[in-house]
Amino acid sequence: MKNLVPFNDTSRLFKAHQNELLSVMQDAASSGWWLLGKHTETFARNFAEYCGTEFCLPVANGTDALEIALKAVFGDALYTEENEVITVANAGGYTTSACYLSGASPVFADINEESQLIDLASIKRCLSNKVKAIVLTHLYGGVVDVLQVRELLNTSGYENVVIIEDCAQAHGAKLGERLVGSLGDLATFSFYPTKNLGAMGDGGALTTSDPAIYQQIKRLHQYGWANKYDVATPFARNSRIDEIQAGVLNILLPHLDKANATRIAIYEQYKQSAGSSVKFLIHTTDFVGHLAIMRVEQREKFIAFMKDRRVAIDIHYPILDCDQKAWQKLSKRQDPEGLKVSNRVVNELVTLPCFPYMTETEIEIVSNALREWEKSFNE
Ligand SMILES: Cc1ncc(COP(=O)(O)O)c(C=O)c1O
């Protein structure tokens, strides 16, 4: 039977902006200039301005963006010496994948129980002289305190470690007055359709204010060219966004802040409807509600309960990176004290539907289900 509440429905996003979207797609298509044209240039300018950075480089997707960012950090030492990257094991595998694609070993730090974001004390235990970069994933729409991490690296004698923010789930989130994407040395974004800012296909970007990094990532995203057919940087790839997607993003960017506010309001309503039998995330920094994550001890029972009420749910993410089969034989390290929180919490996570075009009725169906769950729990 069809769900009463879908997990997401991007067709509603399309319908809400249909005229503008069709018009920009028509413009890009009829121009005959489908890559590296005016829409991509405009989006790069608009998004850099939005994030508060000097530069933005649009690419094909968020995983390419991470791989390109890491390759820019390693430079000529790529594949030639052991490079380590601190990351977390609970963020869906994208950074780990990029590590292996660029010949680096991931080092898994543990997470903070309440926010599910990287834990600073664990970062400290993971540091070594092989660590060249740390990827700070602003997971689920929460914001890692990048400035505190920078301070920790500087005061521990690791000031050369490059900070990459993974903002794929946090477009528009802030730390104080500054937006994510502008807080580290460079940052990556995904514009996968269900992201806070999503395209109608794949897309990604890197942002930075460092001209040397920008020059390097620009070469790395297009065959290593300094100029056409002149390969100046090895190990490069081709990763470009297309003009139609860039045009779509130009249309949707002005609506991002309002869409984020709607996501946050939905998450707050769920929080208020639920009782103490489930736990929602607690943030000490900003949060833009990318995913409505909660923790529940009796997860299987909860999933069946939601299924009965025809509410679609998902799990982000069911398997920690360190436990993925394909990566078992590849090199990796973890916090010497273990991934206690990551391991404990992975079997409790559930994601509820949360997207800007949910109807009041749908939000109420989920909220009611949460109230009922609490009641049944206390009976
Ligand atoms: C945190 C995070 N990083 C990276 C990615 C990779 O982005 P993409 O799917 O565009 O390759 C995603 C998206 O799915 C993500 O959620």
Side-chain angles (χ1 to χ4, degrees):
M1 213 184 327
K2 201 169 170 248
N3 279 321
L4 290 174
V5 187
F7 191 72
N8 206 319
D9 182 357
T10 44
S11 72
R12 299 183 196 175
L13 171 79
F14 178 71
K15 272 186 213 120
H17 303 285
Q18 186 163 341
N19 292 343
E20 283 176 295
L21 289 172
L22 286 175
S23 152
V24 83
M25 287 191 278
Q26 165 82 27
D27 183 70
S30 62
S31 74
W33 194 280
W34 296 323
L35 287 167
L36 300 177
K38 67 177 182 184
H39 294 286
T40 305
E41 253 173 53
T42 306
F43 179 66
R45 220 174 24 250
N46 288 346
F47 200 59
E49 194 184 329
Y50 177 83
C51 293
T53 57
E54 288 294 316
F55 309 104
C56 166
L57 178 76
V59 294
N61 59 67
T63 314
D64 282 5
L66 282 163
E67 183 188 334
I68 289 167
L70 289 175
K71 286 181 171 174
V73 172
F74 303 147
D76 291 344
L78 186 80
Y79 303 126
T80 60
E81 66 179 65
E82 212 173 312
N83 292 316
E84 288 189 338
V85 176
I86 295 178
T87 179
V88 284
N90 70 327
Y94 310 102
T95 295
T96 301
S97 191
C99 283
Y100 290 135
L101 285 166
S102 55
S105 298
V107 182
F108 299 115
D110 207 3
I111 53 170
N112 173 281
E113 178 143 4
E114 293 184 332
S115 67
Q116 300 286 298
L117 301 174
I118 198 164
D119 179 61
L120 263 72
S122 182
I123 294 177
K124 200 164 177 185
R125 292 192 292 272
C126 289
L127 284 164
S128 85
N129 290 333
K130 288 182 184 170
V131 172
K132 305 291 184 319
I134 176 162
V135 177
L136 299 175
T137 304
H138 300 304
L139 195 65
Y140 306 143
V143 179
V144 178
D145 193 331
V146 180
L147 305 183
Q148 265 189 28
V149 176
R150 175 45 74 205
E151 174 80 19
L152 169 88
L153 294 173
N154 291 351
T155 53
S156 323
Y158 290 96
E159 51 283 337
N160 292 334
V161 172
V162 173
I163 295 183
I164 300 168
E165 294 174 80
D166 180 355
C167 310
Q169 302 194 359
H171 317 67
K174 287 181 177 166
L175 186 68
E177 288 306 305
R178 288 171 62 186
L179 272 106
V180 300
S182 71
L183 301 163
D185 297 296
L186 71 166
T188 63
F189 289 85
S190 162
F191 304 118
Y192 178 78
T194 57
K195 300 298 187 201
N196 294 49
L197 178 63
M200 290 174 62
D202 274 322
L206 295 100
T207 53
T208 184
S209 290
D210 182 325
I213 291 177
Y214 179 64
Q215 190 202 48
Q216 190 68 352
I217 58 177
K218 209 167 166 204
R219 290 176 177 182
L220 282 165
H221 101 299
Q222 215 186 189
Y223 319 115
W225 288 350
N227 296 297
K228 201 170 180 187
Y229 306 132
D230 166 13
V231 180
T233 299
F235 310 117
R237 54 155 58 248
N238 167 24
S239 181
R240 297 179 293 226
I241 200 167
D242 65 70
E243 280 286 282
I244 291 183
Q245 299 310 332
V248 165
L249 291 168
N250 281 323
I251 299 298
L252 297 180
L253 180 57
H255 303 282
L256 172 59
D257 291 341
K258 190 162 170 258
N260 280 348
T262 308
R263 288 174 184 270
I264 296 163
I266 296 170
Y267 193 62
E268 282 305 315
Q269 179 164 335
Y270 292 165
K271 258 185 173 173
Q272 271 152 30
S273 307
S276 53
S277 59
V278 300
K279 290 184 189 138
F280 284 83
L281 302 181
I282 301 173
H283 290 106
T284 53
T285 50
D286 197 11
F287 173 67
V288 288
H290 174 59
L291 292 172
I293 302 288
M294 44 162 273
R295 285 166 52 198
V296 53
E297 277 174 25
Q298 298 176 326
R299 181 165 73 179
E300 293 317 310
K301 204 171 154 194
F302 182 83
I303 290 171
F305 185 90
M306 285 302 190
K307 202 172 168 203
D308 278 353
R309 278 144 194 85
R310 291 159 62 195
V311 174
I313 56 103
D314 205 342
I315 296 175
H316 296 88
Y317 294 92
I319 305 174
L320 294 177
D321 293 14
C322 50
D323 295 331
Q324 291 286 5
K325 279 195 292 299
W327 294 331
Q328 282 315 299
K329 290 189 185 147
L330 304 186
S331 101
K332 61 177 95 50
R333 276 200 301 123
Q334 63 177 39
D335 181 337
E337 292 187 9
L339 302 179
K340 292 178 194 139
V341 181
S342 310
N343 278 307
R344 186 167 68 245
V345 161
V346 66
N347 296 318
E348 297 177 0
L349 297 168
V350 178
T351 318
L352 300 169
C354 180
F355 58 98
Y357 295 93
M358 280 180 85
T359 64
E360 286 297 324
T361 310
E362 288 168 340
I363 299 167
E364 200 44 44
I365 289 172
V366 181
S367 304
N368 266 333
L370 290 168
R371 280 184 213 109
E372 270 185 69
W373 170 261
E374 179 68 12
K375 219 169 127 208
S376 71
F377 200 81
N378 289 323
E379 268 163 7

